[in-house]
Amino acid sequence: MKIYALSDEKFTPNELLFASIKRLCNGGASMIQYRNKSGSHNEKELSKISEFCASVGVSFIINDDALLAKRVGAAGVHVGKDDGGVGRARDILGSNAIIGASCYDSCELAIQAQNEGASYAAFGAVFSSPTKPNATCCGLEVISKAKELLKVPVCAIGGINASNIASVAKAGADYAAV
């Protein structure tokens, strides 16, 4: 199982973003998602991060915004239910981009996302999380079922920490988002 690290504007403010992402890359993260819901983005800094991640073989993903991902040269985008869909993101970013899809607790959504060209399907929250306290919990059984049904990698997200990550790996997740 690989580590998929996420930034957050509250826990990783812009002035610490590059240094934090550099540490995550050096620490073994395979993918890093820039997640900033505030709408205030330093595109010059994001381009620098994108170049750095590419130089060390780490996929840099932008949350929610395929156009921002394209402008900063990110490896891809992660889309949720209100972000225009996998097909639109694929049209914007092209066939080589990584397109992740939030599937919540639904293998049906994951199959649809896979059929539309998603590169991976993310499920969660697998555990309750202080970051998203109102997120629907899907449980590890959904991860196991998704592994049986899907051809694309499965990502588990939500409340994953040192005390429960082994159970995420045992359920078959390809990525643990932390």
Side-chain angles (χ1 to χ4, degrees):
M1 184 174 66
K2 298 176 181 176
I3 297 298
Y4 184 167
L6 292 91
S7 73
D8 178 275
E9 72 267 19
K10 186 171 27 171
F11 300 113
T12 319
N14 282 337
E15 61 273 9
L16 302 176
L17 188 62
F18 184 74
S20 296
I21 287 177
K22 198 171 182 181
R23 281 195 305 277
L24 290 167
C25 290
N26 293 334
S30 297
M31 266 197 294
I32 296 181
Q33 183 184 123
Y34 169 72
R35 188 172 183 279
N36 184 335
K37 300 288 189 175
S38 75
S40 174
H41 310 291
N42 180 336
E43 292 189 24
K44 185 177 179 182
E45 183 81 354
L46 293 176
S47 294
K48 179 178 156 184
I49 291 167
S50 181
E51 288 175 25
F52 172 77
C53 287
S55 77
V56 296
V58 174
S59 300
F60 183 55
I61 308 298
I62 301 291
N63 188 54
D64 295 342
D65 192 337
L67 293 171
L68 177 61
K70 184 175 181 92
R71 287 193 305 271
V72 301
V77 67
H78 182 90
V79 296
K81 64 183 174 196
D82 300 322
D83 299 326
V86 171
R88 178 179 175 274
R90 181 70 62 207
D91 288 345
I92 292 168
L93 295 173
S95 61
N96 293 328
I98 297 169
I99 311 292
S102 291
C103 300
Y104 312 99
D105 62 349
S106 172
C107 286
E108 291 76 22
L109 276 178
I111 290 167
Q112 179 183 345
Q114 176 179 267
N115 291 341
E116 292 174 4
S119 307
Y120 68 88
F123 295 88
V126 290
F127 304 105
S128 62
S129 168
T131 309
K132 283 190 168 184
N134 298 323
T136 302
C137 283
C138 75
L140 293 172
E141 65 281 353
V142 174
I143 302 299
S144 298
K145 182 178 177 187
K147 280 300 292 178
E148 292 174 16
L149 295 173
L150 299 173
K151 294 178 179 81
V152 297
V154 171
C155 177
I157 186 169
I160 300 170
N161 58 41
S163 68
N164 60 28
I165 196 165
S167 63
V168 173
K170 187 175 180 183
D174 297 289
Y175 292 96
V178 294

